[in-house]
Every structure is written in structure tokens, then in C-alpha cells.
Amino acid sequence: MHQVFYAGTSLVTGDEIAFAVMDLVSRLSGRPEVIEIPCRPSEVSGHDIEVVRVLVSPSAPMVARRVNDSRPEIEDRAVVDRLRGRTDEVESESSSGQFVSESASTYDFNEWF
């Protein structure tokens, strides 16, 4: 598992998820994205895994470091595939000169409030 440090906080998630997040963020070309990833709760919550929403941007440094955790690895093939797919879209947009941020344009921010 990896602990991802970003914007003054940290999240513990699975190896593949952490790497997929970092790959996506490294290709965003300055525009933010909202992503959802499974992680270990930072406090005792009665849940082993929680899903968090993170606004990511390449303008904020991100670091991932391996952590020793006796609990099972967090694995979510659908999340990794979604992140990898979005990374591919961002790369295509960059090479074609287009700017389309599907997650930002279709996301309902009102549900947070």
C-alpha cells in the first residue's frame, strides 16, 4: 500500500490506485479534476475502506510512499481502469489541442452541500 501526500493531507490506498492517480495528475496540464478513490479512513470510523473525493491539480506537489500495513491491499479494478481511461483521454486531448474535462463539466457539486 501507499500513502499519498497531497495538499496538506495524506491518504492510504492501494499501490495500483496510487500510481494511477499520480499518472493522471502528471498529465493534467494545469487543469483540475475531481476523482474518487478508496482509502483507509484517517480516524476510527468503523469502516475498513472509505471512498473519498479529491480535487487534484498538477500545481500541487504529490508524493507517494510505501507503507507497511498488515491489512489487505486495497484493490479496485474499476477505479484503476477509470483513472487509466481518463489519463488516456487527457493525453489524447493534449495531443489534439482540445480541452475537454468530462469529470469537471458533468460533476454535480451541489450534492456536497
Side-chain angles (χ1 to χ4, degrees):
M1 291 221 271
H2 274 74
Q3 184 173 16
V4 178
F5 297 88
Y6 180 75
T9 192
S10 70
L11 306 167
V12 174
T13 192
D15 295 342
E16 280 193 85
I17 296 166
F19 298 147
V21 167
M22 293 188 77
D23 287 345
L24 172 60
V25 172
S26 72
R27 289 168 176 82
L28 287 178
S29 302
R31 60 185 192 253
E33 291 269 336
V34 175
I35 61 171
E36 291 184 347
I37 60 169
C39 66
R40 297 277 182 228
S42 56
E43 66 278 336
V44 177
S45 67
H47 298 97
D48 189 40
I49 297 175
E50 64 184 8
V51 175
V52 297
R53 291 183 182 143
V54 184
L55 177 65
V56 294
S57 170
S59 62
M62 181 178 284
V63 175
R65 72 173 179 96
R66 188 164 217 18
V67 293
N68 293 321
D69 194 319
S70 60
R71 296 171 290 184
E73 176 79 10
I74 298 173
E75 297 178 340
D76 192 323
R77 177 57 41 204
V79 168
V80 171
D81 289 347
R82 188 173 61 246
L83 291 167
R84 297 276 183 220
R86 184 63 189 132
T87 301
D88 292 343
E89 289 173 6
V90 169
E91 285 182 332
S92 293
E93 293 164 8
S94 296
S95 64
S96 69
Q98 295 178 341
F99 174 71
V100 178
S101 181
E102 179 180 327
S103 64
S105 64
T106 61
Y107 195 80
D108 181 7
F109 290 97
N110 292 322
E111 72 181 56
W112 288 12
F113 302 102

